Amino acid sequence: MGILVVGSVAFDNIETPFGKAERCLGGSATYFSVAASFFTDVELVAVVGDDFSEKDLEIFRGRRVNLDGLERIRGAKTFFWSGEYGYDLNVAKTRDTQLNVFANFQPKLNERQRNAQVLFLANIQPELQMNVLEQMKKPRLVALDTMNLWISTKRAALEKAFAHVDLVVINEAETRQFTGEANLVKGAREILSLGPHTIVIKRGEYGVLMITRGEAFAVPAYPLENVFDPTGAGDTFAGGFLGYLTSRREHSDLELRRAIIFGSVLASFAVEKFSLDRLREITLENIYDRYRAFRTLTHFEDFEVL
Amino acid sequence: MGILVVGSVAFDNIETPFGKAERCLGGSATYFSVAASFFTDVELVAVVGDDFSEKDLEIFRGRRVNLDGLERIRGAKTFFWSGEYGYDLNVAKTRDTQLNVFANFQPKLNERQRNAQVLFLANIQPELQMNVLEQMKKPRLVALDTMNLWISTKRAALEKAFAHVDLVVINEAETRQFTGEANLVKGAREILSLGPHTIVIKRGEYGVLMITRGEAFAVPAYPLENVFDPTGAGDTFAGGFLGYLTSRREHSDLELRRAIIFGSVLASFAVEKFSLDRLREITLENIYDRYRAFRTLTHFEDFEVL
């Protein structure tokens, strides 16, 4: 059953203060799938051009990623993004976006895909997210990501999409942009009032804040001495988070919290090298070790009355 | 024995998007003392003018704060700061600073003060911090705060001060400014290499990161629906943190972590109302309750192997 992700598979040009990479593998669905496949079976639904080679597919080999949903369009080019980061690695500056094959993307799910347990609607336009959601049978959990562009240009469609999902994964600035509310807790509650039972707010180097109707959970990011490339960190987080959840019988608060840590662990690896280079190397044992390191980083004892 | 703090007692004009307060009580030593006095005896060393009235002293009444070190200068005015915050409450914009009595402040410690167990050098010029430190007998722990002004104008004196203290309490932007290093972990290690065994980095609404020579500890800030006035949050944090530590026999990693939580708890109260208005109201029981809330906010279980 596993998880279905619909999003982008892309080529990126990336420049950071620590170097640059040209035409490297990227895309929300790529990062997400690789991260989630450590925990569960992934159905990847995306589109590429015929410039996307067998070699580019190597990243998925030996992983639990089914590529039946990866459409290839003849005579067209793969989605392309070019961006740069300054020393403040929290903010990407987009230099160029070429939608290419993505402009007319209209995914048709097959039977197996429609039966996926969990659905992740990565950051694509909200009408397309709804279109995919409507094709699903009876998913246990539907989660959605979005971006500033859709908040400003597709607000009504986005509000409708929010109303049909269980969980929103969004970054801090987007929460403030969507709600017009400076206070993050109030903004989160405003989004929850539209329908979702859980909001997961990504704060980059400051970690993650999850707010449900009853509980709040917060975790700092893992402090790293070397951050090379934050591209894909949010999608990698979502992959670790939802991949882990998909593998669990219960989506209790206890498991949601563990899932946030696994997401944070995966994201902390992703930024250590360019593109998906670090994700290619790591094993489940590395992931477990960093989960333990998160425990050490954040643990404190109850107080004794003074 | 207790803790000695040297810093400012001040009047502040504060404007935030939620209102304004004129000539309200402020100053680093004021916030620090009130917070620390929940846990230990405090010796306050500061200076005010004769515009500082008996009524202004009420904040200290019934608390474990000894005011023998609060000098009063006739015919002179109390230190005055005026500042404003936008919706991004992380950054204060200073409108006016009038040093007044603070310009010629040269504290002379009495015997009891010189014997304090713990010393906190709040944000005053580094030469003055060193002057106070040199008067101390044999403190168990010496901690220091500083600010962007001293980093840019008194760098050599500040480096010397760092070399003589055990612990530095500093904010994130100041760490980057002092070290010229964008990566916070590297910046922290650079400051540790000057002498201190511990650095505590304040990240405003994102919480606190503590780095010692062996360990790292990170905690998010408590998510609040109402933040009215961030003035004094850093000094209140330092007061809760060091006040708690002073009350403990051991300064182990376990106790340092608890101290970080108590500091975070006190700071989370401080920002809920203007000036010290919220700190005036709270009891030790309120503090314990929020400590427990921090446990709930941040707790996650170990994983079970998948």
Side-chain angles (χ1 to χ4, degrees):
Chain A
M1 305 277 279
I3 191 164
L4 185 149
V5 55
V6 54
S8 60
V9 171
F11 290 124
D12 291 342
N13 280 4
I14 298 162
E15 188 165 349
T16 81
F18 314 109
K20 54 179 166 177
E22 297 212 337
R23 215 171 161 282
C24 61
L25 187 61
S28 58
T30 318
Y31 282 100
F32 182 95
S33 298
V34 171
S37 69
F38 283 100
F39 304 102
T40 191
D41 293 318
V42 181
E43 299 283 340
L44 184 155
V45 175
V47 60
V48 291
D50 55 10
D51 55 347
F52 199 86
S53 69
E54 279 303 309
K55 196 170 165 298
D56 295 316
L57 285 172
E58 265 175 19
I59 184 84
F60 302 114
R61 211 158 285 155
R63 300 187 193 273
R64 300 163 70 179
V65 182
N66 188 307
L67 299 176
D68 290 355
L70 182 64
E71 202 182 336
R72 187 188 291 248
I73 309 281
R74 290 218 158 203
K77 281 179 146 182
T78 300
F79 179 69
F80 173 79
W81 179 79
S82 171
E84 64 178 291
Y85 302 85
Y87 281 99
D88 175 3
L89 292 164
N90 284 316
V91 188
K93 191 175 150 198
T94 292
R95 288 174 173 170
D96 190 16
T97 305
Q98 297 169 20
L99 286 180
N100 300 329
V101 291
F102 224 76
N104 300 306
F105 183 41
Q106 284 291 347
K108 295 278 169 290
L109 305 188
N110 67 29
E111 191 63 15
R112 208 188 46 251
Q113 291 159 352
R114 288 154 43 93
N115 277 300
Q117 256 193 80
V118 173
L119 171 64
F120 182 60
L121 303 162
N123 166 31
I124 51 177
Q125 57 188 78
E127 294 92 337
L128 202 50
Q129 292 179 318
M130 279 305 290
N131 176 289
V132 172
L133 176 53
E134 281 158 8
Q135 296 179 55
M136 295 295 289
K137 283 277 172 63
K138 208 178 186 305
R140 232 176 120 191
L141 180 77
V142 178
L144 166 155
D145 189 8
T146 191
M147 73 183 291
N148 51 6
L149 177 67
W150 312 130
I151 294 172
S152 56
T153 63
K154 304 267 185 187
R155 195 187 165 86
L158 185 58
E159 278 190 23
K160 189 180 160 201
F162 278 165
H164 287 82
V165 305
D166 304 300
L167 192 147
V168 171
V169 180
I170 191 168
N171 75 35
E172 195 172 6
E174 289 157 4
T175 307
R176 293 194 164 114
Q177 184 195 352
F178 181 80
T179 61
E181 171 59 58
N183 183 283
L184 211 58
V185 181
K186 285 184 185 164
R189 296 209 192 290
E190 203 176 309
I191 291 176
L192 292 183
S193 76
L194 298 174
H197 59 62
T198 302
I199 176 167
V200 175
I201 301 173
K202 299 172 287 179
R203 315 173 99 178
E205 67 164 315
Y206 300 110
V208 175
L209 174 64
M210 173 169 70
I211 297 187
T212 62
R213 283 176 195 150
E215 299 255 3
F217 175 61
V219 67
Y222 193 74
L224 294 166
E225 281 201 55
N226 291 299
V227 178
F228 276 97
D229 175 16
T231 308
D235 297 304
T236 306
F237 166 82
F241 172 63
L242 292 170
Y244 173 79
L245 266 190
T246 306
S247 76
R248 301 281 93 184
R249 211 163 294 160
E250 307 240 320
H251 291 177
S252 58
D253 182 62
L254 175 103
E255 291 292 15
L256 280 164
R257 287 171 180 237
R258 282 179 174 148
I260 293 280
I261 304 302
F262 276 116
S264 303
V265 164
L266 267 298
S268 77
F269 283 120
V271 301
E272 289 182 327
K273 292 192 175 178
F274 273 100
S275 182
L276 289 97
D277 291 355
R278 187 74 178 112
L279 293 180
R280 283 178 204 267
E281 300 171 346
I282 58 167
T283 64
L284 200 51
E285 208 42 63
N286 298 139
I287 293 170
Y288 289 160
D289 283 345
R290 193 162 284 178
Y291 188 107
R292 290 182 197 107
F294 259 96
R295 294 262 294 169
T296 306
L297 172 71
T298 59
H299 180 74
F300 60 95
E301 297 284 323
D302 204 352
F303 62 91
E304 290 155 7
V305 172
L306 304 174
Chain B
M1 305 277 280
I3 191 165
L4 185 149
V5 54
V6 54
S8 61
V9 170
F11 290 124
D12 291 342
N13 279 6
I14 298 162
E15 188 163 350
T16 81
F18 314 108
K20 55 178 167 177
E22 297 212 338
R23 216 175 160 279
C24 61
L25 188 60
S28 57
T30 317
Y31 283 100
F32 182 93
S33 298
V34 170
S37 69
F38 283 101
F39 304 102
T40 192
D41 294 316
V42 182
E43 300 283 339
L44 186 157
V45 175
V47 61
V48 291
D50 54 11
D51 55 346
F52 200 85
S53 69
E54 278 304 308
K55 195 169 166 297
D56 296 317
L57 285 173
E58 265 174 18
I59 183 83
F60 302 114
R61 212 159 285 157
R63 299 186 194 274
R64 299 163 71 180
V65 182
N66 187 307
L67 299 177
D68 291 353
L70 183 62
E71 201 181 337
R72 188 188 290 249
I73 308 280
R74 292 218 155 200
K77 281 178 147 184
T78 300
F79 179 68
F80 174 79
W81 179 78
S82 171
E84 63 177 296
Y85 302 84
Y87 281 99
D88 175 2
L89 291 164
N90 285 316
V91 188
K93 190 176 150 198
T94 293
R95 287 174 172 170
D96 190 14
T97 304
Q98 297 168 19
L99 286 180
N100 299 329
V101 290
F102 224 75
N104 299 305
F105 183 42
Q106 284 290 348
K108 296 277 170 289
L109 305 188
N110 66 29
E111 191 64 15
R112 207 187 48 249
Q113 292 159 352
R114 288 156 42 97
N115 277 301
Q117 255 193 82
V118 173
L119 170 65
F120 182 58
L121 302 161
N123 165 30
I124 51 177
Q125 57 188 77
E127 295 92 338
L128 202 51
Q129 292 179 318
M130 279 304 290
N131 175 289
V132 172
L133 176 52
E134 282 158 8
Q135 296 180 55
M136 295 295 288
K137 283 276 172 65
K138 209 178 183 308
R140 236 174 116 194
L141 181 76
V142 177
L144 166 156
D145 189 9
T146 192
M147 73 183 290
N148 51 7
L149 177 66
W150 312 130
I151 294 171
S152 57
T153 63
K154 304 266 184 187
R155 196 186 165 86
L158 185 58
E159 279 190 25
K160 189 181 160 199
F162 279 165
H164 286 83
V165 304
D166 304 299
L167 193 148
V168 170
V169 179
I170 192 169
N171 76 36
E172 195 172 6
E174 290 156 3
T175 307
R176 293 193 163 114
Q177 184 194 353
F178 181 78
T179 61
E181 172 59 56
N183 183 283
L184 211 57
V185 181
K186 285 185 185 163
R189 295 209 193 290
E190 203 175 311
I191 290 176
L192 292 183
S193 76
L194 298 175
H197 59 63
T198 302
I199 177 167
V200 175
I201 300 174
K202 299 172 287 179
R203 315 173 98 179
E205 66 165 315
Y206 301 111
V208 175
L209 175 64
M210 171 168 71
I211 297 186
T212 61
R213 282 175 197 152
E215 299 256 0
F217 175 61
V219 67
Y222 194 74
L224 294 166
E225 281 202 55
N226 291 299
V227 178
F228 275 97
D229 174 16
T231 309
D235 297 304
T236 306
F237 166 82
F241 172 62
L242 291 171
Y244 173 78
L245 266 189
T246 305
S247 76
R248 302 281 92 184
R249 211 163 297 158
E250 306 242 321
H251 292 177
S252 58
D253 183 62
L254 174 105
E255 291 292 16
L256 279 164
R257 287 170 179 238
R258 282 179 174 149
I260 293 281
I261 303 303
F262 276 115
S264 303
V265 164
L266 267 297
S268 77
F269 283 119
V271 301
E272 288 183 328
K273 293 193 174 177
F274 272 101
S275 181
L276 289 99
D277 291 356
R278 188 74 179 111
L279 293 179
R280 282 178 204 269
E281 299 170 348
I282 58 167
T283 63
L284 200 52
E285 209 41 64
N286 298 140
I287 293 169
Y288 289 161
D289 283 346
R290 193 161 284 177
Y291 188 107
R292 289 182 198 107
F294 258 97
R295 294 262 294 169
T296 306
L297 172 72
T298 59
H299 180 74
F300 61 95
E301 298 283 325
D302 205 351
F303 63 90
E304 289 154 7
V305 172
L306 304 173

